[in-house]
Amino acid sequence: MNSNVKTSFHAFPLNDPQLMTEWLRRIRREHYAPTKESRLCSAHFLESDFISTSQDSNTRRKRKRNAQLSLRVLRKGAIPSVFPQLPERLQPMASTSRTESATAELRHQAESDRLETAASEFLSLDKVGSLEEIKTMLESNPIPVGFVPVFGADSIAFCLIDVEDVPNLVCSIQNLLALAKSWGIPDPNPRSAEAKWIEAAIDCLCNLLEESNDSATPLMQQIQFIVEQLRLRCQAKEARRYSPGLIVFAMVLKSTSSACYQVLLDQDLLVLPSVRRLTAISSPLIDYSSGSIVGMQEANPASTMLCFMVKSIAGKYRDVVALFPLSKLTAEILHEHYTSVMGMLQRTNLNVVTILVDNHSANRAFFVHKLCGGILQTCVPHPFHREKKIFLLFDPTHTIKNVYNNFQKRQSLELPAKDSAFFNVPLPHVKRTADSLIVAKFENIKELYNLEQDKPLKLAPKLNSSVIDPKSIQKTSPKLALAVFSESTAHALEYYSANQGKPWGDTATFVHAVTQLWKVLNVKTSSIGKHKRDCCRDPVRSDTDWKLTYLADVANYLREWKACRSKGLSDETFLALSHTLDALVEVCRYLLNSLMFEYVLVGAFQSDPLEGRFGWYRHRKGLNYYVSCKDVLDAAKDLHSESSDLMEEAGQIADQLNLIEEIEAADANVTYYVAGKIAKSITAQRSCTACNQLLVATPDESAAEAPSDFLRQLDRGGLTNPSDLVFTICKEAWVIIMQLQRCQRFLKSRKSHGSFCCALGCSNNSSMSPAVSFHFFPKDTEMKRKWLVALRRKEFKPSATTQVCSVHFAESCFKEQLAGFLPTTRRRLYPNAVPSIFPTLPDRLQPVEKKRKTATAAAAAAQEVDFAAFLKAPECSKTKAQPTDTEADEPEQPLQELHA
């Protein structure tokens, strides 16, 4: 910078966000937000960044052209680059301006010019003027072995002499020019002789493999391995693609001996994947078992699991029918697996009504391009039964979660203030025009949380810090969305807006509208509306139900909101929500009219069962959140085998049941008493006369053979005589229970999801490990803390039902519990017992046992210290120290055993 020039100050480019970002990056001030008054002096700019002379093109002005400016002006796009006070590591890197030759068009032009120059040089060297020049060239360049040149007056002939046969003329003057060219100019892209021989060997071996009838023989497998090795040898390292079989072979070698595998890589005897490649492949989703890798797709590690679950709309049946490990999910892959699964379901006579997916981009592309032909529709024909319809839905839970994420990310949403069923409450009393907007601000939610944060009683108790400022992993949970879009939050916003003058009316209207929509979409039982006394939670019972009209009206409002181009939801969320509402209206009418449903539960069209099933899988594999593909497949196989065994055994028992078996008189009297209790409890809740007559009988009406002696002895006027129907049902139920008690396997399998161990990596449960006992956490705070420290689980909070199995306790931690004179099979822990055995944990996480020093150990340690000092002292004689009389008379202290 010129010292004679006066320092000038320049404002920040606030109107140019891109240039502003570059200025802030060069200044290196963290969290700095410049204002309109902020300035940067000219000392931080180069001299070339300024316009110092006038560039006025108006000749009529009296001022001189190209005169020096009195006020220095920055050039457009100037960036500060001079900061002498900053250390060298923070100095901005000098950026070179992009030359004109850096564009793609000019690079292609330069490459074309270079090729033309090389071609012209080649043609200049390719000229043959006379035979004398060819003779001179033959003298300086050797010819192939076996050829003999024959020079004539006006020709040159090349002969190949064969000693076993007569000489033959193989070349004459006609192709002499081509031979001369091959000697004079080399091939621009030569291939080595080794590569040509390798390609020839590959072709021969491939022909052998094609001609072979059995490719599973050891010889054919060896040939396949050799062919792959030869092909990989001819490829560059970056372009090599290893087959799954070779990856399995490499992983077995590496797991057997890492040093041996490294020696093979260093000596380059085989073309194998690098250690880094194998480490990348060995992701948490991949596992090696029984000679094969689970979790690979076309030699690429799987990053996700594609799961297909079938769920009954009218019942509780749900089951996973297919699991596919995938490295990348695309619409083509999804359509391929969808076709195979639909064919399997068609063969099992399952009637598929809807397809439910989340709002992933691959799922949207699958719906639009693969099923609907480019335009999204609410239903498509069945791929194997064209007369049937399949309705396409996006998961409502996932969509409501996206509404919350849009609201939290954009901080404010602008909704058109139009009369719609979406706003089923009166709008705030504000003068609005036809083009006015409802502005919902997430800042109002924050203010409500901060207002009630320290209060013991809150109007919005569901709000917490995670709802206000969620982490990335927390945004995947719908609990945050349901905390904002809840009745308590909506009513709290309305209360403070009406009674304390808070400007939260628009936000309360938006929250209340989304809450109302979610209540209509989340009806999962037929009686929830009656219990909650809320008509929004009643099931849809007819095609003219007001809830169907409401959903259609909300879908139309969402399309109008998107068309007005105000600050709203993302296009993907608009599409998914409006499409789902339209499809739900059509599928409800289809079920009511075509399939003759009595009512439809809209909450049945959700993906919660799929999330719950994966929770089962993680539970069965030691409560690990990140499970491998093999763990998921094994857990699914176990559940299927247990269910199939249970159904098969239940069918056998049902065939063997003898419902006409007579019961003993004592059991019959007790059954008659229980039947009367059941009839009384049912009639007490209902005032129906027909029900009372069906379930209850007077003492005179009861059958004479009915075992009512026990009831009459206990009756003081308040007991009930059951009817013959109720007594017969109770008696047959008792017969079934007595016969089922003979099948312990059936009763045990009913408890297939009993107690689980919460230790990390432990998969013990009460159904699969009957010899293992399970123990609850202690109620004492200090002992509970010791258990948590021993478990080594970060941020783990046990519930009232969390248990630890007996495998993690030493035998000395248990005591025998006596019942009378016989020991029981139930094992109990001592009050001070702490888990200490964790075979699945790595060594660095194993609990360290602290041993207390005894008196004898302390004396031995002191003696070792004195002996070491004796060796270091040069003036002392190295003789054994004699004990004093006091030490000799003291008795030896026994070593004590300490139990944790």
Side-chain angles (χ1 to χ4, degrees), residues 682-683 686 688-696:
I682 294 176
T683 56
R686 291 170 174 81
C688 179
T689 305
C691 294
N692 294 339
Q693 295 176 356
L694 182 65
L695 301 177
V696 179

Side-chain angles (χ1 to χ4, degrees), residues 256-451:
T256 304
S257 175
S258 300
C260 175
Y261 190 78
Q262 190 61 44
V263 169
L264 291 176
L265 292 178
D266 296 339
Q267 295 183 0
D268 201 17
L269 297 177
L270 296 174
V271 183
L272 298 174
S274 63
V275 177
R276 183 177 180 182
R277 171 67 174 169
L278 291 181
T279 304
I281 291 176
S282 302
S283 66
L285 291 176
I286 296 176
D287 203 350
Y288 172 78
S289 176
S290 302
S292 61
I293 292 181
V294 181
M296 296 284 294
Q297 183 197 14
E298 297 179 357
N300 295 319
S303 60
T304 184
M305 288 284 291
L306 177 61
C307 178
F308 288 86
M309 169 180 268
V310 292
K311 179 183 178 297
S312 174
I313 301 176
K316 296 183 178 181
Y317 171 74
R318 61 195 65 174
D319 196 7
V320 173
V321 296
L323 287 166
F324 302 101
L326 297 178
S327 60
K328 184 179 180 181
L329 181 62
T330 61
E332 291 75 15
I333 296 175
L334 188 56
H335 185 260
E336 177 184 355
H337 293 307
Y338 157 80
T339 305
S340 62
V341 171
M342 289 296 292
M344 177 186 64
L345 297 179
Q346 179 67 18
R347 291 190 297 271
T348 55
N349 295 326
L350 285 178
N351 184 16
V352 179
V353 178
T354 64
I355 301 175
L356 183 71
V357 298
D358 59 13
N359 197 15
H360 191 270
S361 58
N363 294 328
R364 291 197 307 271
F366 165 64
F367 273 3
V368 175
H369 301 294
K370 297 300 179 180
L371 297 184
C372 300
I375 300 177
L376 185 61
Q377 302 174 7
T378 56
C379 64
V380 295
H382 195 287
F384 299 97
H385 201 292
R386 306 302 294 180
E387 291 78 11
K388 294 183 179 180
K389 293 181 180 180
I390 295 182
F391 295 88
L392 310 180
L393 298 176
F394 294 101
D395 183 18
T397 305
H398 189 269
T399 307
I400 292 295
K401 181 180 62 178
N402 288 342
V403 173
Y404 160 75
N405 290 333
N406 279 259
F407 189 30
Q408 189 271 337
K409 182 179 180 181
R410 304 191 178 191
Q411 293 296 311
S412 65
L413 299 176
E414 298 177 354
L415 294 81
K418 298 181 179 180
D419 292 335
S420 173
F422 186 56
F423 304 109
N424 57 350
V425 294
L427 298 180
H429 298 288
V430 180
K431 292 183 178 180
R432 302 181 185 272
T433 62
D435 299 332
S436 60
L437 299 173
I438 300 175
V439 182
K441 298 181 179 179
F442 195 79
E443 186 66 28
N444 299 153
I445 307 293
K446 296 181 181 179
E447 294 172 358
L448 174 60
Y449 169 72
N450 295 329
L451 180 64

Side-chain angles (χ1 to χ4, degrees), residues 8 74 101 221 235 366 387 394 437 469 553 639 701 730:
S8 57
L74 284 174
S101 61
Q221 292 179 355
Q235 297 174 354
F366 165 64
E387 291 78 11
F394 294 101
L437 299 173
D469 188 16
D553 195 0
L639 288 176
E701 297 175 353
C730 293

Side-chain angles (χ1 to χ4, degrees), residues 754-773:
S755 303
F756 289 86
C757 179
C758 68
L760 189 63
C762 182
S763 58
N764 288 335
N765 60 76
S766 58
S767 62
M768 304 299 293
S769 306
V772 178
S773 58

